[in-house]
Amino acid sequence: MRLSARVDYALRATAELAAAADPASGRPGAPVTAEQIARAQEIPPKFLESILLQLRRGGIVHAQRGPEGGYWLARPGAEITLADVIRVIDGPLAHVRGQRPEELGYRGAASALQEVWIALRASEREILETVTIVDVATGKLPERIRDLVADPRAWT
């Protein structure tokens, strides 16, 4: 799986916004400026601005202009999965040559590849639709994810 810099930065920015929210209710705290996010995560500010605009258009964050302005999550971080953010930034998960795996037509000896791509997408979804922005922000990842990471083969 290859993630773009845009996705990486978007996930890091939303984790910062989740960390700024009220931990008990998940409700947004004070708006966080793009400059604060950029500094905290070492993200190029101009690049971050375009990512935050995309996240706003995708319904992941809200924004307010002005001296009291900034960004906050559009809904509780526990309801925003990594997959939600990735889809807003890069589109659907697991495309092959720009097509959904179920739309591909392989023949002969390669016909089983379609099933491999569908299984790969299902595996990605299992992880990316399970982990929320709050899980990342708090470092409290689901047990299934911790189990996967504990396997030394995962690191190579």
Side-chain angles (χ1 to χ4, degrees):
M1 175 176 190
R2 173 170 274 165
L3 294 175
S4 67
R6 289 184 77 79
V7 165
D8 180 52
Y9 292 160
L11 292 169
R12 291 163 52 192
T14 53
E16 281 295 322
L17 295 174
D22 181 307
S25 69
R27 295 183 191 276
V32 181
T33 67
E35 182 180 314
Q36 290 170 314
I37 296 168
R39 195 171 38 249
Q41 289 298 319
E42 299 179 345
I43 299 171
K46 289 289 186 195
F47 198 24
L48 178 61
E49 286 285 353
S50 71
I51 292 166
L52 289 168
L53 177 62
Q54 207 172 348
L55 290 170
R56 187 178 60 77
R57 288 181 178 154
I60 300 292
V61 303
H62 286 309
Q64 177 180 318
R65 292 188 181 270
E68 301 295 316
Y71 297 87
W72 64 93
L73 295 177
R75 57 187 193 272
E79 297 176 13
I80 302 172
T81 67
L82 302 187
D84 294 333
V85 175
I86 292 168
R87 287 183 182 114
V88 165
I89 299 298
D90 272 358
L93 302 175
H95 272 178
V96 178
R97 299 186 329 253
Q99 292 182 293
R100 297 170 56 94
E102 62 274 13
E103 296 170 352
L104 298 170
Y106 292 106
R107 298 175 191 220
S111 63
L113 276 176
Q114 182 179 37
E115 292 178 34
V116 171
W117 302 148
I118 290 170
L120 176 64
R121 181 181 60 191
S123 181
E124 283 182 352
R125 283 180 175 168
E126 179 186 357
I127 293 169
L128 297 175
E129 291 178 349
T130 300
V131 180
T132 69
I133 295 302
V134 166
D135 295 334
V136 173
T138 62
K140 296 178 182 171
L141 297 174
E143 185 176 349
R144 172 75 175 122
I145 305 308
R146 289 192 319 266
D147 289 345
L148 288 169
V149 172
D151 181 348
R153 294 174 298 172
W155 294 86
T156 59

